[in-house]
Amino acid sequence: MIDHTHDAAVSSWVAGADDHADFPVQNLPLGVFSTSGSAPRIGTAIGDHVLDLSGVAELLRGKAAAAVAAIEGAQTLNALFALEHVARRDLRRAVFALLTNEVHAAHCQAALVPAAQCTMHLPLAVRDYTDFYAGIHHARNVGSLLRPDNPLLPNYRYIPVGYHGRASSIRVSGGEVRRPSGQLRAPDSEVPVVGQSRRLDYEVELGFWIGGRSDLGEPVPIDRAGSRIAGLCLLNDWSARDIQAWEYQPLGPFLAKNFGTTVSPWVVTAEALAPFRVAQPERPDGDPAPLPYLDDERDQQEGALAVRIDVSLRTQSMRNAVMEPMRLGRTAATNLYWTPAQMVAHHTVNGCDLAAGDLLGSGTISGAESDAYGSLMEMSRGGTQSITLPSGETRTFLEDGDEVVLSGTATKEGFRSIGLGECRATIAPAR
Ligand code: CA
């Protein structure tokens, strides 16, 4: 629901917040941070600062009692996201009031920490992780490398295809991802060897953090499925293409994916995203209509997201030369063939339970053109065409020391744009 907290004309008393690219007061994303010598706690990003929500609990309690009870002393957002969305909405309104009314400035100052002094943590303890494959251009591009005559398999337009990922190796933005080793088989060889992956790739994705709870045996109907998405983040599903090529048949991704997944630290809530809901793009002529359990008129009208995502790369020598990362691609969430609600409805149609702390990846979000591709596999045409960087270096896949940065922005005319922050990690050499 769009309300006064989305009014683009409202400003915050926090210096710099109104002009901040990602975190004006219309955003108020939730995350977990710590400062030197202190335990992790829950905060919201406002401009270049983090407001410690425990530090202002007394000011919030009257208007958002349930939410305050779930975040006071908590080191993750799991308890908050287990509540009905009304609790998050009340919290948003109460925090918005604090940060827009100057009367509260003096009381809030002690709880306002410069973001540069904060260490960010995973926002939720990840209960389980599923990765979908809903970016149709990516599916077609990768499919055409493997099967030029038949890039999209017949199930693609019926099923939100996905697989169960690995929760234990999900890390928050800012760290390193170690180059994996595994079984590799050269195209001209019958037998594999074990060695370091030479075809290490990123995948540009959105992550959907689940809220509420549905029990085992209880499908979530499509008209309620959208309300189970509590918030959004950026997600990089690191992928070792050479390990993947040898292992993926017949059961799909395994060690090519589970060595690391990076997510952005701030959860942009479903409440903040209300103005940025857009219609799911029309299916091309000839595509089947979604089956009834995936088809909901309202979801088709407003179940997609007006979110743009950029991916940039910076090598070690670019860092040494103090060069900015080079943008490799700019894509949009409307390139997803399925809405998040359709993913939830499909995930639970067999009775699989979903609860707060579950994370769904969208699948790689590529656009139709090469400047909107979401992986190096696509940009380099399976490693056959190299990309030239401003340093003069070339890449087909990632080298040690390469830093990959995802950023994202939700934009709609008439509303203040809000950002997803950053999802960044650097490739460390294999052990
Ligand atoms: Ca993926």
Side-chain angles (χ1 to χ4, degrees):
M1 195 208 310
I2 296 175
D3 62 24
H4 65 284
T5 65
H6 304 102
D7 183 348
V10 176
S11 74
S12 171
W13 51 261
V14 176
D18 293 346
D19 302 319
H20 197 276
D22 284 342
F23 307 133
V25 74
Q26 288 80 5
N27 192 346
L28 303 178
L30 298 169
V32 176
F33 75 103
S34 62
T35 47
S36 165
S38 77
R41 52 204 192 271
I42 292 169
T44 188
I46 176 75
D48 287 324
H49 286 78
V50 175
L51 180 69
D52 177 352
L53 293 182
S54 293
V56 292
E58 287 313 316
L59 300 170
L60 298 170
R61 203 184 305 278
K63 294 278 197 288
V68 168
I71 61 179
E72 255 190 315
Q75 299 195 3
T76 68
L77 293 166
N78 293 60
L80 177 63
F81 280 17
L83 301 173
E84 292 293 315
H85 77 95
V86 131
R88 292 192 312 269
R89 186 202 64 192
D90 290 349
L91 178 66
R92 173 180 171 84
R93 289 178 178 172
V95 173
F96 186 86
L98 280 191
L99 293 174
T100 53
N101 192 338
E102 196 128 16
V103 107
H104 300 298
H107 286 103
C108 290
Q109 281 300 344
L112 211 52
V113 186
Q117 293 174 17
C118 297
T119 300
M120 299 305 299
H121 303 270
L122 269 183
L124 288 95
V126 185
R127 176 182 181 268
D128 218 329
Y129 166 49
T130 302
D131 198 22
F132 283 91
Y133 196 52
I136 189 165
H137 300 296
H138 172 77
R140 191 183 285 114
N141 291 340
V142 171
S144 71
L145 292 171
L146 302 171
R147 298 175 300 275
D149 301 333
N150 184 25
L152 279 187
L153 294 171
N155 62 1
Y156 192 84
R157 293 180 174 89
Y158 289 94
I159 292 179
V161 170
Y163 69 96
H164 282 300
R166 182 81 192 164
S168 71
S169 52
I170 296 175
R171 294 290 181 277
V172 77
S173 172
E176 292 186 330
V177 171
R178 192 165 294 283
R179 178 179 300 277
S181 293
Q183 282 200 24
L184 318 166
R185 195 191 67 169
D188 55 357
S189 173
E190 289 278 303
V191 292
V193 295
V194 64
Q196 298 178 13
S197 170
R198 297 314 320 166
R199 289 160 71 91
L200 184 54
D201 202 354
Y202 58 79
E203 290 193 340
V204 176
E205 302 197 21
L206 288 175
F208 307 112
W209 289 105
I210 294 293
R213 148 153 229 113
S214 46
D215 290 327
L216 192 61
E218 181 193 342
V220 179
I222 181 70
D223 61 348
R224 295 215 302 270
S227 70
R228 298 295 305 281
I229 307 291
L232 194 64
C233 67
L234 296 161
L235 185 151
N236 187 341
D237 175 27
W238 304 96
S239 299
R241 303 298 181 193
D242 38 12
I243 296 174
Q244 187 176 2
W246 170 232
E247 77 173 4
Y248 86 103
Q249 290 175 314
L251 287 186
F254 183 33
L255 304 180
K257 302 275 192 176
N258 71 2
F259 60 92
T261 303
T262 307
V263 294
S264 55
W266 292 108
V267 182
V268 174
T269 63
E271 292 69 38
L273 289 165
F276 308 101
R277 316 295 313 210
V278 291
Q280 176 66 1
E282 291 273 330
R283 294 184 158 212
D285 281 347
D287 282 15
L291 291 174
Y293 80 100
L294 296 172
D295 200 2
D296 177 70
E297 194 181 334
R298 192 162 161 226
D299 182 50
Q300 290 298 307
Q301 282 167 6
E302 55 183 62
L305 293 164
V307 172
R308 182 190 77 202
I309 310 164
D310 287 353
V311 54
S312 304
L313 175 71
R314 180 159 61 172
T315 67
Q316 181 65 57
S317 63
M318 288 168 73
R319 268 199 306 285
N320 293 347
V322 201
M323 298 171 84
E324 289 297 308
M326 176 194 175
R327 190 170 85 205
L328 296 181
R330 167 169 287 184
T331 184
T334 44
N335 288 311
L336 293 170
Y337 193 74
W338 301 99
T339 67
Q342 288 175 315
M343 296 180 208
V344 168
H346 182 65
H347 203 306
T348 60
V349 68
N350 65 346
C352 177
D353 53 322
L354 277 185
D358 275 325
L359 176 65
L360 310 184
S362 62
T364 310
I365 309 176
S366 291
E369 307 296 331
S370 61
D371 60 356
Y373 287 170
S375 70
L376 286 174
M377 176 83 165
E378 292 164 271
M379 291 195 70
S380 70
R381 297 294 301 161
T384 60
Q385 294 173 14
S386 62
I387 300 146
T388 303
L389 302 171
S391 54
E393 298 167 284
T394 60
R395 288 290 183 274
T396 48
F397 291 99
L398 297 169
E399 300 294 334
D400 294 347
D402 286 359
E403 182 182 28
V404 178
V405 188
L406 311 187
S407 58
T409 309
T411 310
K412 188 119 166 255
E413 202 179 328
F415 292 94
R416 180 69 168 85
S417 294
I418 60 173
L420 295 174
E422 206 177 69
C423 177
R424 175 191 298 261
T426 305
I427 304 301
R431 247 196 262 278

